[in-house]
Amino acid sequence: MLLTTKSWWLCYADNSTTAFGEKLREQVEERLDFYDKGVAPRKNVDVMKEVLENLEKKGTYDPTKLSDLLW
């Protein structure tokens, strides 16, 4: 549930990002490799966690502001 809440927060964030789209493209490529070579793709939840961690490191995402948006 927390991951969903974090993703919701990013929908309303002041700074836009292409990070999710870039990772989605990677996931499509991984899925094609799965069909072609049998290499298992990463789970979506792991990929989204990676995006959020990278955004947090860059300063684009601040989990402490999340509490301000929840009622």
Side-chain angles (χ1 to χ4, degrees):
M1 180 65 181
L2 185 58
L3 180 62
T4 305
T5 306
K6 288 181 181 179
S7 299
W8 173 86
W9 180 84
L10 285 170
C11 291
Y12 297 98
D14 292 333
N15 302 325
S16 62
T17 180
T18 60
F20 290 98
E22 292 166 6
K23 289 297 179 180
L24 179 60
R25 181 181 300 240
E26 288 178 20
Q27 285 184 290
V28 170
E29 293 297 325
E30 288 177 9
R31 182 59 51 137
L32 293 173
D33 283 342
F34 172 70
Y35 292 128
D36 188 38
K37 302 172 188 170
V39 178
R42 296 177 289 170
K43 292 184 177 184
N44 188 55
V45 67
D46 295 332
V47 174
M48 294 302 109
K49 283 181 183 178
E50 180 183 332
V51 172
L52 290 172
E53 289 170 1
N54 289 339
L55 291 175
E56 189 173 350
K57 287 178 187 175
K58 290 180 181 178
T60 306
Y61 167 67
D62 184 3
T64 60
K65 291 184 179 179
L66 180 63
S67 61
D68 297 339
L69 296 172
L70 299 177
W71 54 90

